[in-house]
Amino acid sequence: MTALDDRSTTTRVRAPRPGPHLRLERTLLRGGARLVAGMDEVGRGSLAGPVSVGVVVVDAGTRSAPQGVADSKLLSPAARTALLPRLARWGLARAVGHASAAEIDELGIIAALRLAGHRALGAACATTGPVDVVVLDGSHDWLTPPAQGDLFALDAPVLTAPRVHLRVKADRTCASVAAASVLAKCERDSLMVELAAQHPHFRWDENKGYASPDHLAALRELGPCVLHRRSWRLTGSSGEAALPTDATAAARLDDDAAAWGMMST
DNA sequence: TTACCCTCTCATGATCGGGC
DNA sequence: GCCCGATCATGAGAGGGTAA
């Protein structure tokens, strides 16, 4: 078999993955910023549960990130959990903010991300004072409110808007963003496991609210519950008919939403 | 089209245990 | 001690979602 030959002739060496570092953060600090925050989102593509945003604040005195810190997608659940105690001592402050499925339906996913981001930033800045620059993953600034935005009539703690620095793949190159992604991922996964106890048929303890085959099958059979993002095409088909309107579930909406803690540090 | 989120599947390398 | 197969962990890519 050729595969055997391949194994003997090609010593497959994985390219060393350059880990995240503080170069960008230190460049921004040298440019006059006193505090820099790395921010990352998780749960955007989920069908149920909140969208969550993690933030980690660093300054010129912050040492390199704990060994093993990387984009949360590149770490196993066990590796992410193992990092938490060290991340809890790294940086000046850290927090995770959430926006509920009901808020995603009401505001849209980008505004909900903004809400969660400002909740996280508000919690972190309660310790450090206002940050000067936020490093965001990607090429789209979802944190800065639109000019006419009225979003913050909601309960997000409003701060002086920090300058936003965009960086594609920041969660793989910037230590503060990578750390924020790990914190947010762990926090949201833990939250979904707790919520799975209330709605066990959707198996959120395993799929975390994402479109796994089990989750989709339960959705088709039972319809969405109050923690699903009802404004989305939850079954993947075009038919809204696939989603029965459940008056009983709607009546539970307020209770469930009220039961949520939307911010943690 | 491109950016992000994720799960799932597949290919590959590392490790472990049984048989010789 | 060596070989081989089974199992596990990991990374890449495909494909589901939304927004600009």
Side-chain angles (χ1 to χ4, degrees), chain A residues 180-213:
Chain A
S181 79
V182 172
L183 290 174
K185 175 74 175 164
C186 288
E187 171 97 4
R188 185 180 182 278
D189 284 358
S190 168
L191 196 52
M192 292 309 293
V193 169
E194 288 178 28
L195 293 173
Q198 300 171 28
H199 303 276
H201 34 280
F202 293 116
R203 310 294 303 275
W204 290 339
D205 53 326
E206 292 182 4
N207 59 50
K208 308 300 186 294
Y210 287 92
S212 69

Side-chain angles (χ1 to χ4, degrees), chain A residues 12 18 36 57 123:
Chain A
R12 189 182 169 87
V36 173
V57 180

Side-chain angles (χ1 to χ4, degrees), chain A residues 23-88:
Chain A
R23 282 176 218 152
L24 175 60
E25 291 89 334
R26 285 179 175 144
T27 298
L28 294 168
L29 290 163
R30 279 196 299 272
R34 189 182 66 86
L35 297 174
V36 173
M39 187 175 276
D40 196 31
E41 45 160 319
V42 299
R44 181 196 282 210
S46 178
L47 303 183
V51 64
S52 304
V53 173
V55 62
V56 173
V57 180
V58 300
D59 69 357
T62 300
R63 66 186 189 283
S64 298
Q67 194 167 21
V69 169
D71 173 13
S72 62
K73 294 187 292 296
L74 302 180
L75 298 172
S76 66
R80 288 195 294 263
T81 303
L83 274 172
L84 283 179
R86 280 176 283 165
L87 287 179

Side-chain angles (χ1 to χ4, degrees), chain A residues 55-149:
Chain A
V55 62
V56 173
V57 180
V58 300
D59 69 357
T62 300
R63 66 186 189 283
S64 298
Q67 194 167 21
V69 169
D71 173 13
S72 62
K73 294 187 292 296
L74 302 180
L75 298 172
S76 66
R80 288 195 294 263
T81 303
L83 274 172
L84 283 179
R86 280 176 283 165
L87 287 179
R89 295 189 298 269
W90 186 70
L92 292 184
R94 60 216 70 74
V96 178
H98 311 281
S100 71
E103 287 167 331
I104 294 167
D105 287 340
E106 181 184 352
L107 304 169
I109 186 67
I110 293 298
L113 273 173
R114 188 179 307 127
L115 178 60
H118 278 264
R119 282 172 172 157
L121 205 53
C125 292
T127 304
T128 63
V131 304
D132 303 297
V133 182
V134 173
V135 179
L136 274 189
D137 187 17
S139 61
H140 169 57
D141 177 8
W142 45 263
L143 184 67
T144 304
Q148 74 281 18

